[in-house]
Amino acid sequence: MAHSKALLVLENFIGGKFVPCSSYIDSYNPSTGDVYCRVPDSGKEEVEAAVKAAKDAFPVWSSKSPLERSQILNKLADLIEHDLEAFAQAESKDQGKTITFARTVDIPRAVYNFRFFASSILHHVTECTEMPAVGCVHYTLRAPVGVAGLISPWNLPLYLLTWKIAPAIACGNTVVAKPSEMTSVTAWMMCKILEKAGVPPGVVNVVFGTGAKAGEALVCHPDVPLISFTGSTLTAQRITEKSAPHCKRLSLELGGKNPAIIFDDADLSQCIPTTVRSSFANQGEICLCTSRIFVQRGIYSEFLKRFVAEAKKWKTGNPSDPTTSVGALISKEHLEKVRNYVKKAQAEGARVLCGEGVDPLALPPGNQKGYFMLPTVIVEVKDESCCMQEEIFGPVTCVVAFDTEEEVIERANGVKYGLAATVWSSNVGRVHRVARRLQSGLVWTNCWLVRDLNLPFGGMKASGIGREGAKDSYEFFTEVKTITIKH
Ligand code: NAD
């Protein structure tokens, strides 16, 4: 394919060196529709080299003390923070997200991921029990597992990749990471500062490419005993199948169809702006985004009026404009898929109150070919509709009415997913009752996306297997051994 402007060409990072690849994939700037970057189209050969480098680096890295590793992680955090603006600009251009979101969420969180695990790794203790009657003491030891395979999606590129790299290397593993082929740039930028941070060659290897070629080669590699994956439920099924012959340890962080339940005693002045944010932040491309809003009948009309008014305040357009709230969706295909959901809902008799097909979308001249879509609110939609059952992963949310607590719990649980939910009510007893019964790995009440990285993160049902967090990631990325001493 002929390209008019000079393209950014990425290279794999293997054994501490940048290595060119024999073939490349085009990567698009979602806000202009232009190809601007070429990403290595790695396969078995590149994965083989990366796994070998990671295996070679393992003995030295795994025998360093947690304190030594912690210091390196902190240095890496400082270096990313030093270049925060460059990372944020790159993430916004590569992913389509607003510069504001990249500056305030993605990159600060990537920095914090390294700082957090640099600290938490120093504070784990293992167990010990005694059996005086038989003269035995038992204790446990935890050791890194080996080469960790890390596969991440395109919605929060550096944020989610570092959420895996940081705990994996803090625990003493070495890694082969494969970011999404659609958003590889910030991972490549991070590789450039690893040496300066003191990360020895081979500890972090990054292989770029598609899921089918590079991802699957990593999943099938016999010397990669664990895979930490964040992405869609469909891909997770494939990964589970492919890794089964090797009995690999898997952590699967998958999709969601997250409900917000709004009772008539909710503080709407807090609830409405937060629920607009939980529906449309990052173009609705966050696994934790709300996409089913259940509102108690008595406040339904008032809620809708105020919710739509608030949603309309969100400006859609050029992601590098700091006043923009909604940037571009990741790809042309994804935009088409999200738009089709709206069409299907309309065909089933649902009504679109604002956004797609209803309001005009005015874009600056440079963004006419970008993949933009207005925040869209759908009503009069049945619980069985695909818009209420399937993950849309775009700026689309459905609002429906409910009458009783019992009814709304059943309806909220009536999907295959179970990642996150929000509950809005000023009745403390009700908040506890509902939170306990929701089939959801995370429940936020009277707030959204308030995270303490110490606590388990992950979903139930089709939203995942396993949890990540301080203790959970430590347990996933280490192997435990019980030792019994008889005296
Ligand atoms: P995806 O499953 O298509 O891809 C995710 C990653 O897996 C990419 O790097 C991709 O190249 C790779 N991959 C694809 N096929 C593969 C295969 N056969 N073998 C190995 N690797 C393969 O997901 P996506 O479209 O990039 O991301 C969106 C999805 O991720 C949504 O479903 C979203 O909910 C989910 N997600 C979940 C969380 C969470 O923490 N639960 C966070 C963010 C995103």
Side-chain angles (χ1 to χ4, degrees):
M1 177 173 186
H3 301 289
S4 48
K5 285 185 211 149
L7 298 180
L8 178 65
V9 181
L10 310 189
E11 290 178 323
N12 288 324
F13 188 72
I14 298 175
K17 292 196 176 65
F18 284 101
V19 189
C21 193
S22 54
S23 60
Y24 288 83
I25 314 161
D26 285 337
S27 181
Y28 293 78
N29 174 339
S31 71
T32 62
D34 296 331
V35 172
Y36 87 106
C37 172
R38 307 201 78 208
V39 175
D41 184 12
S42 311
K44 270 192 184 152
E45 201 182 307
E46 290 77 10
V47 168
E48 187 63 50
V51 172
K52 182 176 182 313
K55 263 182 88 174
D56 291 349
F58 182 74
V60 172
W61 182 249
S62 58
S63 55
K64 281 191 189 298
S65 70
L67 183 60
E68 280 175 285
R69 294 196 292 259
S70 166
Q71 283 163 342
I72 292 172
L73 261 69
N74 271 322
K75 184 83 201 280
L76 188 50
D78 292 345
L79 291 171
I80 298 174
E81 193 169 48
H82 179 267
D83 289 344
L84 193 144
E85 183 57 21
F87 274 100
Q89 293 284 352
E91 202 74 296
S92 169
K93 185 172 182 177
D94 205 26
Q95 204 275 341
K97 64 179 67 232
T98 66
I99 185 64
T100 307
F101 201 84
R103 268 184 197 141
T104 57
V105 180
D106 288 78
I107 310 304
R109 174 60 190 274
V111 171
Y112 187 58
N113 284 337
F114 283 112
R115 286 215 176 108
F116 178 82
F117 285 104
S119 164
S120 79
I121 195 63
L122 303 176
H123 303 290
H124 297 291
V125 286
T126 53
E127 297 153 293
C128 177
T129 63
E130 223 187 327
M131 282 181 165
V134 287
C136 282
V137 170
H138 310 274
Y139 64 94
T140 60
L141 285 184
R142 280 198 171 264
V145 184
V147 179
L150 314 178
I151 302 178
S152 56
W154 48 256
N155 62 327
L156 299 164
L158 195 64
Y159 171 136
L160 287 173
L161 188 67
T162 53
W163 174 236
K164 297 182 185 306
I165 293 179
I169 65 172
C171 291
N173 302 282
T174 55
V175 309
V176 176
K178 201 224 58 85
S180 167
E181 61 276 28
M182 285 187 272
T183 52
S184 295
V185 174
T186 48
W188 172 76
M189 288 169 71
M190 183 193 69
C191 294
K192 293 198 210 179
I193 54 177
L194 290 175
E195 188 181 352
K196 196 167 173 196
V199 180
V203 171
V204 175
N205 305 276
V206 183
V207 173
F208 299 101
T210 64
K213 260 175 82 180
E216 214 152 298
L218 187 56
V219 168
C220 295
H221 201 294
D223 294 336
V224 179
L226 81 179
I227 298 285
S228 172
F229 169 77
T230 300
S232 64
T233 304
L234 203 66
T235 306
Q237 287 164 344
R238 174 101 185 149
I239 289 178
T240 306
E241 227 174 80
K242 288 282 160 185
S243 59
H246 305 279
C247 293
K248 293 197 183 199
R249 184 185 293 202
L250 297 180
S251 167
L252 305 172
E253 298 289 346
L254 315 176
K257 189 68 193 170
N258 311 309
I261 300 177
I262 299 163
F263 287 97
D264 57 11
D265 58 356
D267 175 356
L268 291 186
S269 67
Q270 298 281 324
C271 166
I272 288 173
T274 306
T275 309
V276 167
R277 197 162 56 84
S278 72
S279 299
F280 304 124
N282 205 44
Q283 303 70 244
E285 295 169 332
I286 305 179
C287 54
L288 306 166
C289 273
T290 302
S291 63
R292 297 179 293 149
I293 305 176
F294 295 92
V295 184
Q296 206 157 18
R297 202 167 304 275
I299 58 163
Y300 183 72
S301 308
E302 185 199 350
F303 176 89
L304 261 188
K305 206 166 98 203
R306 289 170 62 181
F307 186 80
V308 168
E310 188 72 25
K312 284 187 167 186
K313 287 187 199 158
W314 278 46
K315 183 174 146 191
T316 303
N318 187 356
S320 38
D321 175 347
T323 65
T324 299
S325 304
V326 183
L329 274 68
I330 184 67
S331 67
K332 204 172 172 177
E333 295 71 26
H334 188 58
L335 174 65
E336 235 8 77
K337 180 181 148 193
V338 177
R339 280 187 171 149
N340 273 332
Y341 273 107
V342 180
K343 285 192 196 127
K344 279 191 227 166
Q346 283 171 311
E348 288 170 355
R351 209 153 51 88
V352 178
L353 286 192
C354 67
E356 175 68 14
V358 172
D359 298 303
L361 171 58
L363 294 168
N367 299 110
Q368 300 286 332
K369 286 194 276 158
Y371 319 132
F372 295 92
M373 180 170 172
L374 290 167
T376 299
V377 179
I378 304 180
V379 292
E380 294 159 29
V381 55
K382 295 197 174 62
D383 285 7
E384 313 76 66
S385 159
C386 59
C387 281
M388 287 287 280
Q389 291 291 324
E390 294 168 24
E391 184 184 47
I392 300 176
F393 219 53
V396 176
T397 198
C398 299
V399 189
V400 294
F402 75 90
D403 293 294
T404 68
E405 188 178 309
E406 196 59 32
E407 167 208 339
V408 78
I409 292 170
E410 195 182 321
R411 291 172 67 191
N413 287 340
V415 292
K416 69 174 181 177
Y417 294 106
L419 185 56
T422 54
V423 180
W424 292 85
S425 169
S426 51
N427 178 332
V428 178
R430 173 188 275 160
V431 156
H432 282 291
R433 278 195 307 275
V434 176
R436 170 171 267 287
R437 290 183 58 198
L438 285 173
Q439 295 166 349
S440 183
L442 305 136
V443 181
W444 279 292
T445 76
N446 300 318
C447 63
W448 178 68
L449 208 57
V450 180
R451 290 267 294 116
D452 178 340
L453 303 192
N454 283 295
L455 300 183
F457 177 92
M460 48 180 78
K461 296 157 76 178
S463 291
I465 294 178
R467 296 291 184 271
E468 295 177 344
K471 186 165 168 278
D472 301 86
S473 298
Y474 175 64
E475 287 175 357
F476 179 73
F477 285 113
T478 55
E479 192 76 79
V480 70
K481 185 187 291 178
T482 299
I483 297 170
T484 301
I485 308 284
K486 180 149 170 45
H487 51 82

